[in-house]
Amino acid sequence: MSKLRVNAFTLSLDGYGAGPDQNLQNPLGVGGENLHKWMIGTRTFRKMVVGQDGGTTDINDEFATRSFENVGAWILGRNMFGPIRGDWPDDSWKGWWGTNPPYHVPVFVLTHYKREPIEMEGGTIFHFVTGGIHDALDRAKAAAGGKDVRVGGGVSTIRQYLENKLIDELHLAISPVLLGRGENLFAGLDMLQLGYQCTEQVATALATHVTIKRG
């Protein structure tokens, strides 16, 4: 059965999934790039995201590999697609990742502003959804063809799906970094009341990997 998953989503020790003041120079917010040291050196990241050879093949890489398995579609919040706010000024912005993004499947971007789909190299097609999280999920499941749908973030998008008990599995990498400010994933959420429990934890020098599932 198709699942709605979050994978390889990194949090700081104080619970932030991104730093403050996102802009073109700081796509993850100020200090947010420090969260992802566990992943950027892995073989999977180098192959899937930056198109390079080499990299580590340790436990961190195992979790990175798992994050791409059986994914038929993605859902992204508007901020994960780019720093532009409000109505789209034109069609020039096509994401952070260049001409060949690392998704290679349909991607459904939550937004309040209509925009025509963008077809990229490598099979990625960005669809812009103005009908909310349920509409995006319905469309993503249809496009996934029985495979899983992965919610890539950001924090606000994941929180909305958690609040509605729609996420089946959540893999978090807790990085030994303090951000102080930003977007906090669990603030105000009662995960136990929502039916979630921790089912796995594995620690490395660069992150503690935690898997949370809904019972």
Side-chain angles (χ1 to χ4, degrees):
M1 180 183 294
S2 174
K3 296 187 295 185
L4 183 64
R5 296 163 30 196
V6 174
N7 287 90
F9 193 80
T10 307
L11 292 181
S12 65
L13 284 174
D14 43 354
Y16 296 103
D21 305 321
Q22 182 201 40
N23 55 39
L24 192 60
Q25 291 71 39
N26 298 283
L28 299 174
V30 176
E33 70 279 358
N34 294 322
L35 294 174
H36 300 280
K37 292 179 180 179
W38 72 268
M39 180 169 40
I40 59 176
T42 64
R43 179 177 61 182
T44 298
F45 180 88
R46 289 174 63 85
K47 176 183 177 182
M48 299 295 292
V49 179
V50 296
Q52 297 177 358
D53 295 328
T56 61
T57 56
D58 54 7
I59 292 174
N60 292 320
D61 184 58
E62 291 179 18
F63 278 96
T65 298
R66 283 163 56 174
S67 73
F68 285 100
E69 291 175 346
N70 198 45
V71 175
W74 288 65
I75 296 173
L76 300 180
R78 169 77 179 261
N79 292 359
M80 290 290 291
F81 180 74
I84 300 168
R85 304 293 183 264
D87 202 357
W88 304 100
D90 52 48
D91 292 331
S92 59
W93 181 263
K94 298 181 180 180
W96 301 104
W97 313 274
T99 59
N100 190 359
Y103 303 106
H104 310 298
V105 293
V107 178
F108 296 85
V109 180
L110 292 162
T111 177
H112 295 295
Y113 300 90
K114 292 183 178 180
R115 184 173 175 180
E116 292 300 310
I118 306 172
E119 187 167 351
M120 309 293 287
E121 295 177 14
T124 300
I125 303 175
F126 292 112
H127 300 273
F128 300 90
V129 182
T130 58
I133 64 168
H134 295 280
D135 184 30
L137 181 56
D138 289 343
R139 293 178 60 180
K141 283 188 172 181
K147 292 185 176 181
D148 294 341
V149 175
R150 180 174 168 183
V151 181
V155 168
S156 174
T157 298
I158 294 174
R159 284 176 58 89
Q160 290 178 68
Y161 281 106
L162 284 173
E163 289 168 344
N164 285 272
K165 304 180 183 179
L166 294 171
I167 291 176
D168 299 297
E169 183 175 311
L170 181 75
H171 162 235
L172 302 172
I174 313 300
S175 177
V177 171
L178 293 169
L179 288 181
R181 295 186 299 135
E183 297 183 78
N184 195 291
L185 181 62
F186 292 124
L189 286 182
D190 187 336
M191 293 293 286
L192 283 175
Q193 190 276 329
L194 291 170
Y196 290 94
Q197 58 184 345
C198 180
T199 59
E200 179 185 19
Q201 70 171 52
V202 181
T204 73
L206 296 176
T208 297
H209 298 278
V210 176
T211 301
I212 298 170
K213 294 183 179 180
R214 189 166 65 85

